[in-house]
Amino acid sequence: MNNIAAATRSYTIRSSAGRKLGRRILRHWQIYIFLLLPVAYLLLFHYYPMTGVQLAFKVFDYKKGIWGSPWIGFDNFVKFFHSHMFRRVVLNTISISFYSIFAGFPIPILFALLLNSFRHERIKRAIQTITYMPHFISVVVLVGLLFQVLNSRSGLYGSLVNTITGTYPKDILGKASGFIHLFVWSGIWQQFGWGSIIYLAALSSVSPELHEAATIDGASRFQRVIHIDIPSILPTAVIMLILRTGSIMTIGYEKVLLMQNTLNLAKSEVISTYVYKVGLTASIPDYPYATAIGLFNSVINLILISTVNAIAKRAGDTSLW
Amino acid sequence: MTARTEKKMLAAPTKVKLSTSDRIYYTIVYTLIFFLTVIVIYPLIFVLSSSFSSGQAVTNGRVVLFPVEPSVMSYQKVFEYRVVWTGYRNTLMYTVAGTLWNIAMTVCAAYALSRPTLPGRGWLTFLFAFTTLFSGGLIPSFLLIRDLNMYNTPWALIVPGAISVYNMVITRTFFQNTIPHELNEAAVVDGCSDFRFFFAILLPLSKAVLAVITLYYAVGHWNSYFPAMLYLNSRSLWPLQLFLREILIQNQFSTEMLSTMTDEEILRLQGMSDLLKFAFIVVATVPILFVYPFIQKYFTKGVMIGSLKG
């Protein structure tokens, strides 16, 4: 009896709230018109492909399409975990990522701190413009540039070593072990200036009174960097690190594909490029297998970013959501 | 101390007496910045100078800083190459059409989600945000494009990447921070519809953020090669970046280029190919580098901060 009363009560509450909500929605109908296309776009180009991950658990039947293909369970995953490529692509992906973070994460911060102490406004602005420039260069041009400059014969590298030592150096572009360094450092070269913008913005919001007070108390510029500048960009740095760590298992295929050659493949094949090759360029494309590898990667990414975010939330008050 | 006096002090550093430790600190700072700037700009100067040198000087590695035996021959050859024009035309088309589509979609979504009273706003925002955390991956997207009959059509490069959630968040935050909700309420009281508010008030007040996301989207379209490689079969549809990939990375100058040359020229081609590559790099990059300074003034603190915390 009590239950029924409670249920009726909650029903009336809900329905009146529902009416109210309905009115509110109606009042905003024009706003929903604005959302019509964007939401349709999201559903078609992002959410519908998400249903395509079922392919990872299926055998692809060209006639029946994704939905009609028969299920096979986890066979594709088992096949991937047992293949000799599994170790290689996962290891390459992780080592390139860690290297990029260790080498690439501190440099924009350092550059922002340096630039923030720079006292000639006009020159500072010119330096900013110059260091932002590589960010606008396309990957194709960047890799082409890398090949031209680092060519051990005709490139800048070759001719510089030749003028100093009198002999041409060994080729560094074809060596498998050189790939990771070239990949990471060319990325740093391209992005450190642009990456410093966010820290410069954080630094410029520091109240000048703080610096003034510290100066009066006799703090040197370096001490002010340690005790004012660095603490003020720490929250930003934490968020950036969360974002970066969440994508440890992601390396875009765009630049890797361009830098790959038969000599460095053992060190340059990463998960994303392997998915591309298995699924689209192989002589017999294996859609389900490629989808399974991609899904494995996506799921790990999702777990990673959620975990890192949870840790950050617990440790301090900075988090993404 | 106000920001202005601080700026004045910064502008006239010689008037401020520095302690020894500060002098050491500044010396280190200026030296490091100098080196970093040189590292960034030197390869760019090298490419530019090489492209204006003679083929022989380039092959022999005689170009160090300035053009050696200056000539514009490489550029003449590059512009005789028909694929450059095809590539330029296609890239321009994809960039203009794609960016317009991006802006329209992004601004609409950002406007709706910037309204604090909108029912379901949290859920809708999540719908956008979740796409940055998880995706169906390469194969399902590829199959979708094929099923939509967009394969090997310009649509495949224009329609699918309509909204970058990152740019949407920048725009939404800008709307929220710079266009007070009270303005909207006042307009509504005066009988202004949401449509009219959007076109007559919101957009004219948002030039800064529009400029910035236009830059982001346009650079993205101009520089991308992967979707084109994935979805475009016919060379007549290729954007510039795909031709560049062929020339710079795969080292192929197509026979079309060779056919316009005499035998003697073909012999010289080996020496020429490096030179031509430098000229190609310049031709493909300069237009997009020129866009940035025009938009730089909109790169205010507000827009950048907005990009961080949505």
Side-chain angles (χ1 to χ4, degrees):
Chain A
M1 210 48 193
N2 255 344
N3 279 347
I4 297 170
T8 337
R9 202 163 46 234
S10 90
Y11 173 75
T12 27
I13 290 168
R14 211 182 305 144
S15 74
S16 83
R19 262 208 301 279
K20 228 170 159 186
L21 182 67
R23 257 209 308 276
R24 278 177 59 207
I25 291 177
L26 218 63
R27 212 176 57 217
H28 286 90
W29 69 272
Q30 294 185 332
I31 303 288
Y32 290 103
I33 302 277
F34 278 103
L35 275 173
L36 219 56
L37 265 179
V39 168
Y41 157 78
L42 280 187
L43 295 179
L44 180 58
F45 286 100
H46 288 275
Y47 286 93
Y48 177 71
M50 283 183 203
T51 67
V53 299
Q54 59 179 290
L55 199 55
F57 307 95
K58 287 184 162 181
V59 194
F60 191 57
D61 186 326
Y62 275 86
K63 279 178 209 142
K64 289 176 184 163
I66 295 179
W67 291 84
S69 298
W71 296 91
I72 51 160
F74 284 87
D75 286 10
N76 285 314
F77 293 92
V78 174
K79 181 177 156 199
F80 177 53
F81 296 144
H82 285 120
S83 88
H84 70 284
M85 287 303 286
F86 174 68
R87 230 180 91 90
R88 181 194 276 194
V89 295
V90 171
L91 269 183
N92 283 343
T93 304
I94 292 177
S95 49
I96 292 173
S97 264
F98 269 106
Y99 188 4
S100 311
I101 294 180
F102 278 117
F105 187 72
I107 291 178
I109 300 180
L110 195 73
F111 186 64
L113 289 171
L114 292 175
L115 215 54
N116 193 51
S117 318
F118 205 88
R119 304 183 322 150
H120 301 79
E121 273 302 312
R122 201 166 292 169
I123 304 176
K124 179 178 161 185
R125 209 157 300 145
I127 290 172
Q128 279 176 287
T129 308
I130 291 170
T131 49
Y132 297 169
M133 257 176 354
H135 173 80
F136 295 95
I137 295 175
S138 75
V139 264
V140 177
V141 169
L142 178 77
V143 175
L145 193 100
L146 198 67
F147 287 175
Q148 286 308 115
V149 170
L150 292 183
N151 192 303
S152 59
R153 294 226 149 240
S154 60
L156 188 59
Y157 166 69
S159 56
L160 276 184
V161 172
N162 189 33
T163 35
I164 295 166
T165 64
T167 50
Y168 283 109
K170 274 191 206 139
D171 179 40
I172 51 171
L173 294 169
K175 269 205 326 214
S177 58
F179 170 81
I180 189 169
H181 303 291
L182 293 176
F183 182 85
V184 169
W185 286 101
S186 62
I188 293 174
W189 178 82
Q190 187 178 22
Q191 299 297 351
F192 83 86
W194 190 258
S196 72
I197 291 182
I198 202 125
Y199 300 110
L200 280 171
L203 281 169
S204 70
S205 64
V206 175
S207 147
E209 275 105 42
L210 232 68
H211 279 285
E212 198 196 359
T215 318
I216 290 170
D217 287 348
S220 70
R221 187 67 186 91
F222 183 64
Q223 281 169 322
R224 284 191 280 141
V225 169
I226 300 290
H227 297 290
I228 299 173
D229 289 348
I230 291 183
S232 70
I233 56 172
L234 212 57
T236 312
V238 170
I239 292 181
M240 298 308 280
L241 196 61
I242 293 173
L243 281 171
R244 190 62 193 81
T245 327
S247 56
I248 271 187
M249 289 288 275
T250 323
I251 294 177
Y253 26 62
E254 309 206 340
K255 193 167 147 201
V256 181
L257 277 180
L258 293 171
M259 290 181 67
Q260 270 177 353
N261 55 44
T262 42
L263 295 169
N264 65 21
L265 211 51
K267 293 284 178 194
S268 65
E269 195 78 284
V270 294
I271 302 176
S272 57
T273 56
Y274 189 54
V275 170
Y276 169 68
K277 283 176 191 168
V278 169
L280 296 172
T281 61
S283 48
I284 310 159
D286 192 343
Y287 291 157
Y289 190 42
T291 309
I293 302 169
L295 180 59
F296 160 77
N297 200 357
S298 301
V299 168
I300 290 192
N301 282 337
L302 192 58
I303 295 172
L304 267 175
I305 192 141
S306 314
T307 315
V308 176
N309 193 57
I311 294 169
K313 211 179 230 171
R314 191 157 300 176
D317 48 5
T318 35
S319 73
L320 282 178
W321 63 80
Chain B
M1 186 164 54
T2 64
R4 187 172 291 168
T5 50
E6 163 99 329
K7 216 172 223 170
K8 218 182 267 169
M9 266 178 65
L10 291 175
T14 42
K15 286 182 191 156
V16 185
K17 236 193 169 158
L18 293 174
S19 67
T20 321
S21 69
D22 275 0
R23 213 171 302 138
I24 295 170
Y25 173 73
Y26 281 118
T27 314
I28 295 172
V29 166
Y30 278 58
T31 319
L32 283 175
I33 289 183
F34 175 75
F35 274 112
L36 285 169
T37 312
V38 168
I39 288 171
V40 168
I41 206 167
Y42 183 53
L44 302 177
I45 292 178
F46 173 74
V47 170
L48 198 62
S49 298
S50 297
S51 73
F52 283 108
S53 300
S54 75
Q56 256 193 335
V58 168
T59 329
N60 298 340
R62 279 187 286 139
V63 181
V64 177
L65 190 62
F66 295 110
V68 177
E69 297 162 14
S71 84
V72 288
M73 202 246 310
S74 60
Y75 289 95
Q76 286 168 356
K77 284 274 170 249
V78 162
F79 285 114
E80 275 170 24
Y81 200 20
R82 215 176 51 224
V83 298
V84 171
W85 297 106
T86 315
Y88 251 113
R89 190 198 63 208
N90 291 335
T91 294
L92 216 58
M93 181 175 85
Y94 302 143
T95 303
V96 172
T99 306
L100 285 175
W101 170 240
N102 290 142
I103 300 292
M105 293 284 276
T106 307
V107 169
C108 285
Y111 172 52
L113 296 178
S114 73
R115 297 291 294 269
T117 53
L118 184 76
R121 182 173 175 251
W123 280 103
L124 288 163
T125 308
F126 178 78
L127 200 67
F128 282 86
F130 185 69
T131 61
T132 63
L133 299 175
F134 188 78
S135 81
L138 188 64
I139 306 299
S141 308
F142 177 81
L143 293 177
L144 174 69
I145 298 295
R146 221 189 43 183
D147 293 344
L148 292 172
N149 288 324
M150 285 185 180
Y151 186 80
N152 207 21
T153 68
W155 300 110
L157 298 199
I158 296 170
V159 180
I163 296 178
S164 126
V165 175
Y166 177 80
N167 289 345
M168 200 274 289
V169 171
I170 295 179
T171 317
R172 194 198 61 181
T173 312
F174 181 90
F175 289 163
Q176 280 169 349
N177 292 346
T178 47
I179 293 149
H181 188 56
E182 289 74 30
L183 193 60
N184 177 251
E185 279 168 355
V188 169
V189 168
D190 289 345
C192 176
S193 72
D194 289 320
F195 288 134
R196 200 160 152 215
F197 180 79
F198 178 76
F199 288 109
I201 299 173
L202 186 100
L203 285 187
L205 287 176
S206 306
K207 282 191 199 105
V209 78
L210 291 179
V212 170
I213 62 169
T214 304
L215 172 78
Y216 284 165
Y217 280 127
V219 170
H221 282 290
W222 186 278
N223 284 342
S224 92
Y225 84 93
F226 190 75
M229 186 171 93
L230 210 56
Y231 298 127
L232 298 183
N233 235 340
S234 349
R235 287 174 68 92
S236 60
L237 291 175
W238 277 14
L240 192 58
Q241 298 294 331
L242 269 193
F243 291 115
L244 273 176
R245 170 172 166 269
E246 213 173 59
I247 291 158
L248 294 178
I249 315 287
Q250 299 170 325
N251 242 328
Q252 290 167 0
F253 286 90
S254 73
T255 45
E256 182 219 326
M257 185 157 202
L258 298 180
S259 66
T260 65
M261 294 179 174
T262 62
D263 283 353
E264 191 193 334
E265 276 181 322
I266 291 173
L267 272 179
R268 281 220 318 271
L269 185 69
Q270 290 309 318
M272 281 281 300
S273 89
D274 280 320
L275 180 64
L276 288 176
K277 283 180 187 173
F278 287 122
F280 266 112
I281 290 179
V282 174
V283 164
T285 311
V286 161
I288 208 71
L289 285 187
F290 265 102
V291 179
Y292 176 67
F294 289 107
I295 290 183
Q296 194 178 22
K297 65 173 175 184
Y298 295 112
F299 253 81
T300 51
K301 210 171 74 187
V303 174
M304 288 322 295
I305 294 263
S307 67
L308 186 58
K309 264 262 163 175

